Amino acid sequence: MTSPQRAPRVCRICKAKKKACDKELPTCSYCFKRGFNCVYENESDSPPISDDVAQVFKPWSLTLFPMAISPLTLDKTMAYHMHYMYRVVGQSRLQAGKRFLDNFQRWLPVIAPRCLHEHIELSQQGLPGADVSVLLLAVCLVTLRSGGDLGDPLFHHSAVHVTVKTLHAQVQAIMHASIALIQSGVILSAYEYATGQTDSAYISIAACIRMAQVVGVETAYEKLGAVQEETRLQATSE
């Protein structure tokens, strides 16, 4: 008989990374220690998404997602958007991650390099949570090179920004606050501030502060300290 304190099946992250999931509720130990959004498998879960998946809101159709959308459909939808975005801009998630750590991260250390690598690995091996997909979309936004990545001249950086911001707002409205959502919001606000959109930047960072309060200020500070320490150690080792 399954203990009421444990889930009947392993979580998606542990399954994708082939870790021994302890099935603790509401989040397993592996995900808890790394600030991941722990989602457990169930009998109705389907394999990772493909381009012909039904019940997925297609990219660039910036209509509102229904508030009653299931967590699995939301994850699939956001993963579809994320995969589509990277395909359109012509860079891989590994390339974007490297650019992010080499540039943006040195200016504003917002995510531990190890966590970013794990998010990228998860997005390639399985179905990431909606918040992780939004985070990788934000990374894509701030790593675009002027005129270098966008093959379509009609597809301007501002279109990428509007798309990422809209998707971030919708995921924020539907799912619980998480570290990944806070990190993506900070990246968005920094991008807006750097591009002269100060009002939008202040609104974005204010939303991040609210989410940090929901997640727990102490937890957020602990994770921020871990990010800064890991970034410092990485910089001194180079």
Side-chain angles (χ1 to χ4, degrees):
M1 182 176 179
T2 303
S3 169
Q5 285 78 34
R6 294 182 182 274
R9 296 163 67 89
V10 300
C11 76
R12 293 182 194 160
I13 290 178
C14 288
K15 182 177 180 180
K17 297 181 70 62
K18 298 181 180 178
K19 299 293 183 180
C21 183
D22 60 17
K23 304 179 185 178
E24 290 286 342
L25 293 173
T27 178
C28 73
S29 299
Y30 184 82
C31 293
F32 177 78
K33 291 177 181 178
R34 291 160 178 78
F36 293 154
N37 182 33
C38 188
V39 178
Y40 284 101
E41 296 268 321
N42 58 59
E43 297 294 340
S44 63
D45 279 354
S46 55
I49 63 167
S50 61
D51 285 353
D52 59 353
V53 169
Q55 293 185 329
V56 170
F57 296 86
K58 301 300 182 181
W60 319 132
S61 59
L62 297 181
T63 53
L64 293 177
F65 302 157
M67 294 301 292
I69 186 173
S70 70
L72 180 60
T73 301
L74 180 63
D75 290 346
K76 286 182 178 180
T77 298
M78 291 309 305
Y80 195 104
H81 279 269
M82 184 264 296
H83 286 291
Y84 190 88
M85 170 79 81
Y86 276 94
R87 188 162 64 241
V88 167
V89 303
Q91 72 171 341
S92 70
R93 279 151 283 174
L94 287 174
Q95 290 173 328
K98 186 177 186 307
R99 289 183 188 176
F100 182 86
L101 295 176
D102 289 345
N103 297 282
F104 188 97
Q105 176 81 358
R106 294 180 182 275
W107 171 63
L108 181 62
V110 68
I111 180 171
R114 170 181 49 80
C115 287
L116 180 58
H117 289 311
E118 289 181 342
H119 287 326
I120 292 172
E121 182 182 351
L122 176 62
S123 73
Q124 294 173 326
Q125 295 181 353
L127 179 63
D131 55 345
V132 172
S133 291
V134 171
L135 175 58
L136 294 178
L137 281 167
V139 168
C140 181
L141 170 65
V142 297
T143 55
L144 290 177
R145 291 176 177 171
S146 299
D149 293 321
L150 302 180
D152 186 348
L154 298 178
F155 194 70
H156 194 267
H157 281 221
S158 60
V160 180
H161 169 242
V162 170
T163 299
V164 175
K165 188 175 181 69
T166 302
L167 294 172
H168 179 272
Q170 294 199 63
V171 173
Q172 179 186 341
I174 294 172
M175 69 176 292
H176 295 297
S178 69
I179 296 298
L181 272 180
I182 296 170
Q183 291 167 329
S184 57
V186 171
I187 294 171
L188 271 171
S189 64
Y191 174 87
E192 290 165 346
Y193 188 84
T195 54
Q197 305 173 64
T198 52
D199 288 346
S200 295
Y202 292 145
I203 293 172
S204 296
I205 200 65
C208 293
I209 293 171
R210 295 298 185 189
M211 285 192 288
Q213 291 173 336
V214 171
V215 170
V217 175
E218 296 83 3
T219 302
Y221 273 121
E222 288 174 4
K223 291 185 178 295
L224 178 59
V227 170
Q228 292 174 332
E229 178 63 15
E230 184 169 347
T231 301
R232 184 187 66 79
L233 292 174
Q234 185 184 50
T236 56
S237 64
E238 293 177 352

